[in-house]
Amino acid sequence: MSTNIRVQRICQHCGNEFTARTTTTMYCSHRCNSAAYKAKQRTAKVERSNKETQRKKNQPVEDLKAKEFLAVREVAQLLNCSVRSVYYYIESGTIKAVNLGQRITRVKRSEIDRLFEQPLSVPTAPEPQHFDISECYHLAEVQGKFGISETALHNLIKRNDIPKMKKGWFAYVPKTAIDKLLS
């Protein structure tokens, strides 16, 4: 079927004006048609490749979402934070976890979901108590008086929430609290 239609069009690939014989012609030549087809195929391949890359990047997170119990490293990956931050959340009580042994801490997946269901409460530090220096021991005095190592003393202070006051280079603890604990 021949047609006598002559339509002025602009090529979708090169942008030049041409005379088309049909109303559906989009390209001025076979060369522009082929180049546009190749560009379209190339774009589709790049898009497929990007989707595959994104899927592979998200795969570990999707696997973690399917697990019921998570290790600390997996929780860190899931929350997109550091492992140390996860341990801080566990120690502060924000996340409940079970310590099954040395380096075997597990967190229930539902515990992570619970974090986002309720508003996050930021733990506040207790107000520092002010003691008179005359009512306090210097840490070296405690070590000498009770024959305890520096590490053990720091662990006792931390474990028993004994207030520690720093003044310059030195740290002081209340005599009453230390005497009650170590006597």
Side-chain angles (χ1 to χ4, degrees), residues 33-81:
N33 187 8
S34 296
Y37 175 77
K38 285 183 180 180
K40 187 176 172 184
Q41 292 299 317
R42 187 178 314 114
T43 304
K45 277 186 179 180
V46 168
E47 194 173 305
R48 271 195 311 269
S49 176
N50 288 342
K51 283 182 182 177
E52 181 66 20
T53 302
Q54 192 64 31
R55 187 185 66 75
K56 285 189 178 186
K57 283 173 66 176
N58 291 337
Q59 185 65 34
V61 174
E62 295 301 322
D63 292 343
L64 291 179
K65 287 180 179 178
K67 285 180 148 183
E68 187 172 349
F69 297 100
L70 303 170
V72 173
R73 185 175 300 278
E74 294 169 336
V75 172
Q77 186 178 7
L78 194 60
L79 294 178
N80 196 22
C81 65

Side-chain angles (χ1 to χ4, degrees), residues 36-181:
Y37 175 77
K38 285 183 180 180
K40 187 176 172 184
Q41 292 299 317
R42 187 178 314 114
T43 304
K45 277 186 179 180
V46 168
E47 194 173 305
R48 271 195 311 269
S49 176
N50 288 342
K51 283 182 182 177
E52 181 66 20
T53 302
Q54 192 64 31
R55 187 185 66 75
K56 285 189 178 186
K57 283 173 66 176
N58 291 337
Q59 185 65 34
V61 174
E62 295 301 322
D63 292 343
L64 291 179
K65 287 180 179 178
K67 285 180 148 183
E68 187 172 349
F69 297 100
L70 303 170
V72 173
R73 185 175 300 278
E74 294 169 336
V75 172
Q77 186 178 7
L78 194 60
L79 294 178
N80 196 22
C81 65
S82 70
V83 173
R84 186 65 224 143
S85 293
V86 173
Y87 278 116
Y88 170 76
Y89 297 142
I90 290 170
E91 289 167 6
S92 67
T94 305
I95 297 176
K96 293 180 185 160
V98 176
N99 190 1
L100 301 172
Q102 188 176 15
R103 294 188 180 185
I104 306 176
T105 302
R106 296 295 180 251
V107 178
K108 202 170 187 180
R109 175 77 177 95
S110 59
E111 188 64 29
I112 302 300
D113 295 335
R114 184 190 60 78
L115 281 176
F116 299 104
E117 291 171 0
Q118 57 185 326
L120 183 65
S121 61
V122 179
T124 57
E127 285 190 30
Q129 296 178 350
H130 297 286
F131 295 98
D132 190 18
I133 295 290
S134 62
E135 301 170 1
C136 296
Y137 287 126
H138 178 271
L139 293 183
E141 289 176 321
V142 176
Q143 288 175 292
K145 182 175 181 180
F146 295 102
I148 188 170
S149 71
E150 183 178 355
T151 305
L153 177 60
H154 284 288
N155 288 338
L156 279 173
I157 291 171
K158 187 175 182 181
R159 193 176 324 127
N160 294 299
D161 292 326
I162 297 174
K164 185 166 57 169
M165 181 176 64
K166 292 199 83 147
K167 187 149 188 157
W169 288 94
F170 303 105
Y172 296 92
V173 289
K175 290 181 178 180
T176 55
I178 292 295
D179 289 337
K180 187 166 71 172
L181 183 67

